[in-house]
Amino acid sequence: MIRDISSQQSLSVRRMESPRVVDGDPNEAMETAIDLSEPVFLKSEIYTDDRGWSLMNQLQGVLCPEGQVNYSIQYPGVIKAWHRHEFQTDFWLCLNGHLKAGIYRESDETAWASVIGEKRPGILVIPPTLWHGATTVGPTSAGLLYYVTRAYNPALPDEERRSAESISGFPWNIQHR
């Protein structure tokens, strides 16, 4: 059973940042994220020609037999937050539309926000124990391809959840800069 801890004490954001942008491959990005206990963003290169465009080799080096590939559509106006995992690392790639990803580290009340999607392709790597979630940005649904390093086990899920409002100070709304 997934542990819902929404009824526990509310948390708050003390510091907001953007995820560190890294070069290299997804495996190096995962190692950096785990070592720093923070999310990292690995930019993707778009390959284009007169036939269209593509993203290639997005999860090379991180796929393993224990992992699982998923695809999720999120409707406009929906906030899917917050949850965290004790063991698994998440790799998020928004293929259609745009998502505002939120990540929160409870130990020092640091939060990260990043818009990912069609106009900002790349992989957002979220290491274990960080709270995370997303909201759709814009008027269209967003499609998230995500890989997790441990397949979902309904008998013993590696997941804790809390409500979107339970971490005060995170800007799920649109921010004008």
Side-chain angles (χ1 to χ4, degrees):
M1 182 170 182
I2 295 172
R3 191 167 158 231
D4 185 342
I5 60 172
S6 295
S7 62
Q8 291 186 359
Q9 171 182 337
S10 179
L11 302 173
S12 62
V13 173
R14 182 182 307 234
R15 189 174 74 220
M16 279 294 305
E17 299 183 7
S18 293
R20 181 183 309 256
V21 177
V22 298
D23 292 319
D25 63 47
N27 196 46
E28 291 171 358
M30 178 176 65
E31 290 174 10
T32 300
I34 290 171
D35 288 347
L36 299 174
S37 186
E38 68 180 51
V40 299
F41 184 75
L42 178 62
K43 287 183 183 179
S44 294
E45 184 175 345
I46 297 176
Y47 298 92
T48 67
D49 62 24
D50 57 353
R51 300 168 297 164
W53 62 273
S54 64
L55 299 170
M56 299 188 303
N57 300 325
Q58 294 305 291
L59 298 170
Q60 193 168 26
V62 296
L63 298 174
C64 64
E66 298 81 27
Q68 179 176 324
V69 176
N70 303 301
Y71 185 74
S72 172
I73 297 291
Q74 189 163 318
Y75 297 130
V78 172
I79 300 172
K80 285 186 177 179
W82 295 94
H83 71 281
R84 69 177 175 183
H85 314 283
E86 185 176 352
F87 303 106
Q88 90 181 23
T89 298
D90 286 24
F91 294 80
W92 288 8
L93 179 60
C94 184
L95 298 175
N96 303 99
H98 293 87
L99 289 172
K100 181 182 206 176
I103 303 100
Y104 179 78
R105 186 171 56 208
E106 192 171 338
S107 63
D108 63 356
E109 299 176 327
T110 299
W112 294 264
S114 183
V115 174
I116 60 175
E118 292 176 31
K119 303 294 186 220
R120 187 164 188 246
I123 300 168
L124 183 62
V125 183
I126 306 166
T129 74
L130 299 183
W131 293 100
H132 53 284
T135 189
T136 304
V137 177
T140 60
S141 296
L144 180 66
L145 177 71
Y146 60 105
Y147 171 71
V148 294
T149 56
R150 292 185 177 220
Y152 181 73
N153 177 354
L156 191 59
D158 177 22
E159 187 168 307
E160 285 184 302
R161 291 185 185 172
R162 58 186 318 128
S163 70
E165 307 82 40
S166 68
I167 298 178
S168 64
F170 188 83
W172 287 117
N173 58 328
I174 295 171
Q175 300 293 298
H176 299 279
R177 295 184 187 183

